[in-house]
C-alpha cells in the first residue's frame, strides 16, 4: 500500500501562508470530516476531473480497487477556452493537514495552485492531485467500464457508487457541469436500474 503522507508533510512550508486555502474537487467537496474556518465555492483552471485514480483504501480494496477522481491537465490548445474546474475551497489551519494527508495518502501529492473565488479574487491554495506516476493510478478507460467498476466496488469508506453519486449531486448544487462525471453517473444509474 502506498502512503504519500510523509512526502506531503515536507512539500510546503505551511507557516509561510497568512491564510491556508484547500481546494477540493472530489470527495473533499461533500465529505467534510475536518474543521474549517471558512468555506467558499471556487474554481481552478487548466485541469479536469477524471475517474482515473484507483482507491484501495476508501472505495475499494487491494484486490478490487475502486475508482475515484484525480485531475489531469487540459491540453493547452491556444484556440480552446479553458473550462473552469469548479469545487469547494476551505480555509483551514495547518494542523488539519495531519488528517488530510492521511486521508489522501493513496497516491495524492499536495500541490500549490491559484484558486479563483466567485468574486474574482485569486489566492494561492493547496490541492491534492494523484498523477500518472503513482502506483495506484489506473488511467483512462471507457465511460462504461469506469461506471461498471464504480458499480461493483466498495471499501472501508463505503460503496464506490455513493462516491460518484454524491460528487455528481454536489457538482449540480454548485451549478457546475462536468461531462465526464455526469456521463459516468448516467451509466451507473442504468446499471442500478437493471440490477
Ligand atoms: C479532492 O476531493 O479534492 C481529492 C480527491 C478525493 O479525495 O476524492
Amino acid at each position: 500500500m502506498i502512503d504519500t503522507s510523509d512526502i506531503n508533510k515536507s512539500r510546503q512550508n505551511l507557516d509561510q501562508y497568512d491564510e491556508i486555502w484547500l481546494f477540493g474537487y472530489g470527495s473533499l467537496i461533500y465529505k467534510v470530516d475536518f474543521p474549517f474556518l471558512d468555506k467558499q465555492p471556487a474554481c481552478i483552471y487548466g485541469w479536469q476531473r477524471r475517474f482515473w485514480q484507483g482507491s484501495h483504501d476508501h472505495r475499494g480494496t487491494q484486490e478490487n480497487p475502486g475508482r475515484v477522481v484525480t485531475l489531469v491537465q487540459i491540453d493547452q490548445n491556444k484556440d480552446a477556452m479553458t473550462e473552469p474546474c469548479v469545487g469547494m475551497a476551505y480555509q483551514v489551519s495547518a494542523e488539519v493537514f495531519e488528517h488530510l494527508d492521511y486521508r489522501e495518502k493513496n497516491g495524492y501529492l499536495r500541490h500549490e495552485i491559484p484558486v479563483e473565488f466567485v468574486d474574482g479574487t485569486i489566492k494561492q491554495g493547496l490541492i491534492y492531485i494523484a498523477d500518472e506516476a503513482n502506483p495506484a493510478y489506473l488511467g483512462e478507460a471507457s465511460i462504461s467500464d469506469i461506471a461498471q467498476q464504480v458499480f461493483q466496488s466498495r471499501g472501508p469508506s463505503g460503496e464506490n457508487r455513493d462516491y460518484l453519486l454524491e460528487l455528481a449531486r454536489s457538482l449540480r448544487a454548485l451549478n457546475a457541469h462536468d461531462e465526464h462525471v455526469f456521463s459516468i453517473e448516467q451509466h451507473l444509474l442504468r446499471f442500478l436500474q437493471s440490477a
Side-chain angles (χ1 to χ4, degrees), residues 110-123:
R110 238 202 260 153
H111 295 262
E112 278 194 327
I113 196 154
V115 176
E116 185 175 314
F117 295 86
V118 176
D119 67 1
T121 318
I122 297 172
K123 288 183 181 167

Side-chain angles (χ1 to χ4, degrees), residues 2 53 107 109 130-138:
I2 21 164
Q53 176 66 5
L109 291 176
D131 69 24
E132 58 189 28
N134 86 85
Y137 194 75
L138 297 176

Side-chain angles (χ1 to χ4, degrees), residues 13 23 32 37 44 53 55 61-62 64 66 73-74 78 85 89 98 102 116 119 124-126 154 166 184 188:
N13 174 9
F23 180 81
V32 190
L37 304 161
I44 55 169
Q53 176 66 5
S55 179
T61 59
Q62 243 358 42
N64 296 300
Q73 229 150 354
I74 297 173
K78 61 177 173 6
C85 174
E98 190 69 38
Y102 182 79
E116 185 175 314
D119 67 1
Q124 200 66 352
L126 294 169
R154 58 196 52 83
E166 279 290 292
I184 299 169
L188 178 81

Side-chain angles (χ1 to χ4, degrees), residues 73-129:
Q73 229 150 354
I74 297 173
D75 285 337
Q76 295 295 346
N77 174 341
K78 61 177 173 6
D79 297 327
M81 272 283 290
T82 313
E83 284 288 313
C85 174
V86 176
M88 191 60 81
Y90 304 89
Q91 189 188 352
V92 292
S93 63
E95 299 80 71
V96 170
F97 285 90
E98 190 69 38
H99 167 69
L100 293 172
D101 288 347
Y102 182 79
R103 169 171 162 175
E104 304 296 324
K105 68 184 182 316
N106 197 45
Y108 291 85
L109 291 176
R110 238 202 260 153
H111 295 262
E112 278 194 327
I113 196 154
V115 176
E116 185 175 314
F117 295 86
V118 176
D119 67 1
T121 318
I122 297 172
K123 288 183 181 167
Q124 200 66 352
L126 294 169
I127 188 169
Y128 288 93
I129 297 175

Side-chain angles (χ1 to χ4, degrees), residues 162-182:
D162 293 337
Y163 177 104
L164 170 67
L165 295 172
E166 279 290 292
L167 177 59
R169 188 193 53 75
S170 329
L171 290 175
R172 274 192 282 271
L174 287 167
N175 274 324
H177 185 77
D178 189 313
E179 190 59 42
H180 176 78
V181 174
F182 293 166

